[in-house]
């Protein structure tokens, strides 16, 4: 089970690009990296998933270096509505991953006006 | 709205009472999960179903907790003899093993339980 480490909190201003890095030194060959976003009083929402290099969707980009020991979630031009907790998860879908589907405390992003 | 609904949204109960929560997943999703979340923490896995089969339960799950998913559709989570430590947000999520990634789970809005 690959453990992840993220900053507990980050502050940013509207319009800036935000990069949240997750460390996962023990990532296994078959593990994917998945990021979720959670607003207060709501369930988490899937943002993006990747295995290597770069993945981009309409919401964010995910950068994964060749050694895959870390990953960076990039949010372009954040707005106040991006204030949320962001979770990084690592795991192999083929496992009995219930026990392995571990959300840490996440990164609390505060976007300021 | 993710398409996953939970009922009730809030529940206040006295210690020692039994409570039951319901989750309606996205209809075509074959996997359903229950999580518990306390303030300032990420969701903690409780159990999951594939269709009607309960495939996994957290090692931390007390025997006061039981979950069912009859006919592989909606699911219920029951807590018997509630304790104050059971106060938390209970989240349900669903995913599909067909054409999607199992890590792409769709979460409901949660049921907030307060045990007094």
């Amino acid at each position: 089970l690959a453990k992840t480490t993220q900053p507990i909190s980050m502050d940013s201003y509207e319009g800036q690009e935000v990069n949240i890095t997750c460390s996962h030194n023990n990532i296994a060959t078959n593990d994917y990296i998945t990021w979720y976003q959670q607003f207060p009083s709501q369930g988490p929402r899937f943002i993006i998933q990747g295995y290597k290099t770069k993945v981009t969707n309409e919401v964010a980009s995910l950068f994964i270096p060749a050694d895959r020991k870390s990953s960076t979630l990039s949010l372009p031009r954040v707005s106040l509505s991006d204030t949320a907790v962001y979770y990084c998860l690592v795991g192999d879908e083929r496992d009995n991953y219930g026990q392995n589907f571990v959300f840490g405390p996440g990164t609390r992003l505060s976007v300021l006006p | 709205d993710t398409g996953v609904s939970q009922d009730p949204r809030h529940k206040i109960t006295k210690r020692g009472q039994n409570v039951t929560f319901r989750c309606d997943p996205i209809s075509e999703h074959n996997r359903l999960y229950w999580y518990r979340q306390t303030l300032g923490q990420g969701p903690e896995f409780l159990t999951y179903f594939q269709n009607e089969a309960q495939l996994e339960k957290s090692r931390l799950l007390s025997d006061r907790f039981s979950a069912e998913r009859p006919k592989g559709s909606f699911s219920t989570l029951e807590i018997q003899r509630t304790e104050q430590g059971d106060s938390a947000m209970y989240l349900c999520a669903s995913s599909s093993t067909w054409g999607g990634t199992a890590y792409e789970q769709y979460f409901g809005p949660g049921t907030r339980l307060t045990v007094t």
Side-chain angles (χ1 to χ4, degrees):
Chain A
L1 175 60
K3 177 178 166 56
T4 62
T5 304
Q6 307 173 231
I8 293 297
S9 64
M10 295 180 68
D11 291 338
S12 182
Y13 291 95
E14 280 192 292
Q16 290 188 331
E17 178 184 75
V18 171
N19 296 309
I20 306 174
T21 296
C22 179
S23 296
H24 28 80
N25 290 320
N26 297 322
I27 190 169
T29 302
N30 295 320
D31 285 346
Y32 281 74
I33 301 155
T34 310
W35 285 80
Y36 278 81
Q37 173 192 57
Q38 186 176 27
F39 298 114
S41 299
Q42 295 185 24
R45 181 177 74 109
F46 173 91
I47 301 176
I48 197 166
Q49 182 183 70
Y51 182 79
K52 62 179 179 181
T53 63
K54 177 184 174 182
V55 180
T56 297
N57 61 21
E58 65 277 6
V59 177
S61 294
L62 179 60
F63 298 91
I64 305 168
D67 66 6
R68 303 201 327 122
K69 293 184 182 299
S70 66
S71 58
T72 299
L73 175 72
S74 181
L75 305 172
R77 298 183 57 78
V78 294
S79 64
L80 296 177
S81 63
D82 292 315
T83 294
V85 178
Y86 292 83
Y87 299 98
C88 165
L89 288 83
V90 172
D92 182 353
E93 296 182 10
R94 302 172 304 169
D95 291 342
N96 286 330
Y97 55 81
Q99 304 280 1
N100 299 328
F101 205 75
V102 178
F103 289 82
T107 297
R108 187 171 300 274
L109 173 66
S110 297
V111 179
L112 308 172
Chain B
D1 184 359
T2 62
V4 178
S5 60
Q6 293 187 243
D7 183 70
R9 295 292 306 276
H10 303 274
K11 179 70 175 179
I12 300 174
T13 191
K14 293 186 186 302
R15 189 178 56 180
Q17 298 294 306
N18 299 343
V19 294
T20 299
F21 309 141
R22 177 179 170 124
C23 171
D24 287 272
I26 294 173
S27 58
E28 60 266 29
H29 283 181
N30 57 338
R31 281 188 167 164
L32 185 148
Y33 315 80
W34 285 98
Y35 295 85
R36 175 173 60 193
Q37 186 174 26
T38 54
L39 197 62
Q41 301 298 313
E44 173 192 26
F45 167 80
L46 294 179
T47 188
Y48 93 92
F49 294 83
Q50 179 153 319
N51 301 312
E52 65 275 12
Q54 186 174 17
L55 295 188
E56 195 169 350
K57 293 171 64 174
S58 168
R59 291 180 286 270
L60 303 176
L61 197 63
S62 159
D63 58 7
R64 297 183 296 106
F65 288 69
S66 62
E68 293 182 341
R69 192 183 183 196
K71 303 178 182 178
S73 56
F74 71 92
S75 176
T76 58
L77 177 69
E78 180 183 18
I79 309 174
Q80 296 182 327
R81 305 181 302 282
T82 53
E83 302 172 355
Q84 287 187 320
D86 296 331
S87 295
M89 176 76 85
Y90 289 84
L91 293 161
C92 173
S94 68
S95 72
S96 171
T97 56
W98 303 301
T101 165
Y103 269 79
E104 185 172 355
Q105 298 186 9
Y106 293 79
F107 282 79
T111 294
R112 182 167 296 284
L113 173 66
T114 302
V115 181
T116 62

